[in-house]
């Protein structure tokens, strides 16, 4: 059992909310985490057709079987369950941590929650293992390229499975099961192509008109498909930085896949050697780094509050974290530090002289040091070297 950093957050939330929702991509460990946090609670899964049928027919009677609450896996598959949960929560408003809901489709889960459970529920998003979680479990390799190619989904670390076999099955399951009801059957092939084209753009500005042209569909269709990928935790869209006046320097977000292994699979990068030589090495590395920052925030139950900086002169900073402290971050795919890495950070700080920013270079080496006030952070420490963590 690999300890999840989100465990303490869930235990904290369960003291103040009657319902906890754990969302995240399929196979990220949501069910395992829920059972670990609440070992005394009965577990029901709406992936089970019989269980789903019974709950749909009479959700209030269904929940009568669990007077002390329960864990409900894939809760969004029975939309009527949310009103039933609300009914029992409102009957005992002082009981906290009563129901634990998990789901891999954030859109459907949030829709049911918004309509029925607003104010009664706390959210936590669970992504695949972080580098820190793997390191503390003693199973982290010392080669960042191998980690990026393999990815960090839990099944890749608890069974003997080839990552490429697993990712291929994962994509097929995702298309057929999670997306089947949301995409026009005639567009399924186009949607598969769309996912691959998104992979080519991970770590880059998202230009929907170009995607629409390549997929031969409309821009509104591309927008809808992006919402599907976001709601099922396949991609994350990072918004551009807003100036002190609230003005965005660019309106275009950057797209990131939420696992480097899935990204590498879609890019047909299957070995560390292929990644090292790939023209996408920098984009995969930036994706890897942004994922670690997201995991740090999600595991604390906090919003991402991440953006990127790009101005009309072409100056770009990969990530701006506005957490307990403001941090500007450059991500480099080199294993060797270089003082040239700090140029953009220095320019950004000069342009924002009225606001204090910590500055960090994330790189793929193994030494932590500081030059001219800028921290050069090795990849094993990215996750915890922002927001007051320095270990």
């Amino acid at each position: 059992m690999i300890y999840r950093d989100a465990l303490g957050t869930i235990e904290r939330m369960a003291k103040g909310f009657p319902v906890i929702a754990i969302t995240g991509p399929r196979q990220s460990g949501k069910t395992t985490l829920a059972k670990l946090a609440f070992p005394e609670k009965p577990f029901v899964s709406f992936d089970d057709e019989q269980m789903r049928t019974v709950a749909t027919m009479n959700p209030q009677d269904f929940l009568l079987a669990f007077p002390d609450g329960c864990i409900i896996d894939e809760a969004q598959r029975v939309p009527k369950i949310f009103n039933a949960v609300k009914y029992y929560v409102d009957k005992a408003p002082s009981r906290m941590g009563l129901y634990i809901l998990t789901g891999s489709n954030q859109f459907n889960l949030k829709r049911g929650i918004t309509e029925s459970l607003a104010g009664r529920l706390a959210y936590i998003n669970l992504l695949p293992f972080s580098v820190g979680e793997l390191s503390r479990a003693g199973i982290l390799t010392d080669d960042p390229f191998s980690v990026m190619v393999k990815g960090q989904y839990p099944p890749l670390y608890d069974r003997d499975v080839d990552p490429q076999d697993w990712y291929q099955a994962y994509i097929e399951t995702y298309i057929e099961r999670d997306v089947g009801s949301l995409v026009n059957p005639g567009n399924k092939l186009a949607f598969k192509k769309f996912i691959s084209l998104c992979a080519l753009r991970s770590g880059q500005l998202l230009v929907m008109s170009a995607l629409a042209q390549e997929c031969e569909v409309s821009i509104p269709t591309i927008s809808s498909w992006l919402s599907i990928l976001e709601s099922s935790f396949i991609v994350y869209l990072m918004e551009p930085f807003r100036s002190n006046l609230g003005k965005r320097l660019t309106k275009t977000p950057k797209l990131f896949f939420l696992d480097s292994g899935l990204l590498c699979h879609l890019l047909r990068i299957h070995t560390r050697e292929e990644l090292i030589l790939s023209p996408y090495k920098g984009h995969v590395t930036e994706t890897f780094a942004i994922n670690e920052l997201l995991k740090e925030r999600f595991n604390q139950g906090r919003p991402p509050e991440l953006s990127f900086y790009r101005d009309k002169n072409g100056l770009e900073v990969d990530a701006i974290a506005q957490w307990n402290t403001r941090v500007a971050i450059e991500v480099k795919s080199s294993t060797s530090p270089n003082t040239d890495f700090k140029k953009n950070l220095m320019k950004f700080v000069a342009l924002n002289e009225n606001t204090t920013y910590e500055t960090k270079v994330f790189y793929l080496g193994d030494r932590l040091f500081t030059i001219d006030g800028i921290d050069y952070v090795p990849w094993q420490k990215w996750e915890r070297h922002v927001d007051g963590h320095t270990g």
Side-chain angles (χ1 to χ4, degrees):
M1 179 67 68
I2 296 178
Y3 178 85
R4 303 306 302 265
D5 291 340
L7 179 60
T9 300
I10 290 176
E11 291 171 344
R12 181 192 80 219
M13 290 174 168
K15 295 177 182 178
F17 294 88
V19 185
I20 309 297
I22 307 174
T23 61
R26 283 196 174 275
Q27 302 292 311
S28 65
K30 301 181 296 297
T31 299
T32 301
L33 178 61
K35 290 179 176 179
L36 183 65
F38 304 96
E40 77 288 352
K41 287 191 179 294
F43 172 80
V44 296
S45 174
F46 289 158
D47 274 342
D48 184 311
E49 184 176 358
Q50 182 177 357
M51 194 73 71
R52 191 165 64 245
T53 300
V54 173
T56 301
M57 289 176 62
N58 196 326
Q60 283 194 18
D61 282 0
F62 177 82
L63 291 183
L64 272 177
F66 310 104
D68 295 318
C70 60
I71 300 168
I72 304 176
D73 190 36
E74 298 298 335
Q76 78 280 352
R77 301 196 71 184
V78 180
K80 293 181 178 179
I81 202 68
F82 299 110
N83 280 329
V85 168
K86 176 182 180 295
Y87 173 79
Y88 286 111
V89 164
D90 289 349
K91 284 187 66 176
S94 63
R95 297 188 68 182
M96 300 294 109
L98 194 60
Y99 296 101
I100 316 302
L101 312 179
T102 75
S104 54
N105 189 305
Q106 184 178 217
F107 176 77
N108 288 337
L109 189 65
K110 276 195 171 181
R111 181 170 59 187
I113 287 168
T114 301
E115 293 172 355
S116 305
L117 295 171
R120 301 167 178 84
L121 175 143
Y123 266 107
I124 187 163
N125 297 325
L126 185 70
L127 297 182
F129 291 137
S130 69
V131 164
E133 288 169 336
L134 293 173
S135 177
R136 289 184 285 278
I139 57 175
L140 180 70
T141 176
D142 59 3
D143 175 39
F145 299 105
S146 296
V147 175
M148 283 189 275
V149 171
K150 182 175 182 177
Q152 290 151 271
Y153 277 93
L156 297 171
Y157 292 86
D158 63 17
R159 67 180 75 161
D160 185 15
V161 61
D162 180 90
Q164 301 313 316
D165 292 339
W166 190 85
Y167 283 117
Q168 187 59 44
Y170 187 88
I171 291 170
E172 292 300 324
T173 299
Y174 171 68
I175 297 293
E176 296 301 326
R177 185 172 187 173
D178 292 348
V179 176
S181 62
L182 301 175
V183 173
N184 187 307
N187 279 341
K188 278 194 177 182
L189 286 177
F191 187 80
K192 284 186 177 182
K193 179 180 180 181
F194 164 73
I195 294 177
S196 296
L197 289 172
C198 284
L200 295 174
R201 292 163 168 80
S202 189
Q204 302 177 56
L205 291 176
L206 172 65
V207 182
M208 287 199 289
S209 59
L211 272 172
Q213 185 175 7
E214 292 187 62
C215 292
E216 299 180 325
V217 297
S218 67
I219 291 177
T221 296
I222 292 296
S223 179
S224 173
W225 288 357
L226 281 168
S227 295
I228 292 171
L229 293 185
E230 279 191 283
S231 69
S232 46
F233 295 91
I234 299 296
V235 303
Y236 165 72
L237 297 183
M238 180 189 285
E239 293 298 321
F241 177 79
R242 293 179 182 271
S243 70
N244 291 336
L245 299 177
K247 185 176 181 180
R248 289 188 292 185
L249 301 175
T250 178
K251 295 181 179 180
T252 307
K254 287 176 75 171
L255 182 147
F256 292 95
F257 268 70
L258 283 172
D259 182 76
S260 63
L262 178 59
L263 173 59
C264 284
H265 176 80
L266 290 166
L267 292 173
R268 299 181 181 179
I269 297 171
H270 303 316
T271 66
R272 63 178 301 277
E273 291 78 15
E274 289 175 355
L275 177 57
I276 291 170
L277 299 174
S278 171
Y280 296 103
K281 180 178 74 167
H283 297 307
V284 173
T285 302
E286 187 177 345
T287 297
F288 184 44
I290 296 303
N291 285 342
E292 291 303 298
L293 293 172
L294 289 172
K295 290 168 187 174
E296 171 69 6
R297 290 295 280 181
F298 288 162
N299 286 339
Q300 295 178 38
R302 306 299 183 214
E305 294 181 331
L306 283 173
S307 61
F308 70 95
Y309 182 92
R310 176 176 287 192
D311 65 21
K312 62 183 179 181
N313 297 316
L315 175 63
E316 184 171 356
V317 174
D318 294 325
I320 309 295
Q322 301 191 69
W323 299 352
N324 289 338
T325 56
R326 292 183 174 90
V327 186
I329 301 165
E330 273 286 278
V331 180
K332 300 298 180 182
S333 59
S334 173
T335 58
S336 302
N338 187 318
T339 53
D340 286 343
F341 294 167
K342 68 181 182 181
K343 288 182 179 179
N344 285 3
L345 292 173
M346 300 291 282
K347 292 177 182 178
F348 173 80
V349 169
L351 289 171
N352 293 271
E353 58 183 355
N354 295 325
T355 304
T356 300
Y357 285 91
E358 294 182 9
T359 49
K360 300 181 188 292
V361 172
F362 283 8
Y363 79 113
L364 297 178
D366 56 10
R367 289 197 306 127
L368 172 64
F369 58 93
T370 303
I371 299 178
D372 297 331
I374 295 177
D375 295 328
Y376 288 71
V377 185
W379 65 279
Q380 300 96 327
K381 297 182 181 292
W382 290 348
E383 173 196 14
R384 297 218 164 195
H385 214 271
V386 184
D387 208 23
H389 295 294
T390 56

